[in-house]
């Protein structure tokens, strides 16, 4: 991660362009404690996310991708300027989770302070994708 951060910085200088943001991935939202145990990670998802976020910050990354359930943990560990991108988001009231185990609504993620929202299936599977995006944006606005 440190080499990646250095390479991004060097390339930005060379091209005289703004530096590209660099994010690390913590624990996939489809993984819970038992799934982590299956890959020999004995920590809880929350503790693993915290450790990986601290490592990403120490390595010079701009932020991490993590479940909305860990936003507060990452903020406390890494500070307000460290960026958080949250995947696995759903519209408020949605019961559909698919393979996702650690999800939140987009409005909950906004209230907790997510910097970036990663939304896939609720838009891709919608009949009217434009309306789906507009509805998600309205949820974010209402939570501000």
């Amino acid at each position: 991660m440190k080499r990646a951060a250095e390479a991004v910085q060097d390339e930005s200088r060379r091209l005289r362009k703004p530096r590209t943001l660099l994010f690390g991935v913590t624990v996939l939202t489809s993984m819970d404690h038992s799934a982590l145990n299956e890959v020999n990670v004995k920590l809880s998802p929350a503790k693993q996310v915290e450790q990986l976020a601290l490592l990403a910050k120490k390595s010079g990354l701009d932020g991490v991708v993590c479940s909305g359930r860990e936003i507060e943990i990452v903020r406390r560990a890494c500070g307000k300027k460290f960026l958080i991108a949250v995947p696995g988001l759903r519209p408020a009231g949605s019961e559909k989770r698919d393979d996702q185990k650690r999800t939140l609504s987009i409005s909950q993620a906004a209230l907790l302070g997510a910097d970036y929202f990663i939304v896939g299936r609720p838009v891709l599977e919608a009949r009217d994708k434009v309306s789906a995006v507009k509805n998600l944006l309205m949820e974010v606005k209402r939570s501000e």
Side-chain angles (χ1 to χ4, degrees):
M1 289 186 291
K2 189 173 185 173
R3 282 291 302 131
E6 290 168 356
V8 165
Q9 186 67 37
D10 291 347
E11 192 68 3
S12 295
R13 275 194 217 113
R14 187 183 74 75
L15 296 173
R16 300 174 202 259
K17 300 267 184 180
R19 192 176 61 75
T20 299
L21 296 176
L22 192 58
F23 287 76
V25 175
T26 59
V27 176
L28 301 176
T29 55
S30 60
M31 298 185 84
D32 58 11
H33 193 68
S34 64
L36 286 175
N37 279 331
E38 287 178 24
V39 293
N40 267 344
V41 175
K42 303 303 178 200
L43 299 173
S44 68
K47 195 65 181 165
Q48 181 70 0
V49 167
E50 180 180 26
Q51 286 192 356
L52 292 172
L54 286 166
L55 181 60
K57 183 176 182 182
K58 182 179 177 183
S59 299
L61 273 58
D62 299 291
V64 291
V65 177
C66 70
S67 164
R69 295 182 184 189
E70 284 95 31
I71 292 170
E72 292 173 316
I73 292 165
V74 173
R75 283 277 177 251
R76 194 169 38 254
C78 299
K80 291 181 180 180
K81 291 185 179 182
F82 195 68
L83 299 172
I84 300 173
V86 180
L89 297 172
R90 301 291 185 258
S94 174
E95 297 297 318
K96 190 171 183 185
R97 293 176 66 188
D98 304 299
D99 62 328
Q100 304 298 299
K101 295 181 174 76
R102 295 174 13 263
T103 64
L104 289 180
S105 71
I106 195 165
S107 56
Q108 289 171 309
L111 284 169
L112 290 169
D115 297 295
Y116 295 94
F117 307 103
I118 304 169
V119 181
R121 292 178 200 149
V123 173
L124 295 174
E125 293 175 355
R127 286 190 181 167
D128 184 347
K129 291 169 182 30
V130 172
S131 288
V133 171
K134 285 180 179 178
N135 290 335
L136 289 166
L137 290 172
M138 289 302 294
E139 276 190 54
V140 171
K141 278 196 177 283
R142 282 192 300 266
S143 67
E144 291 178 338

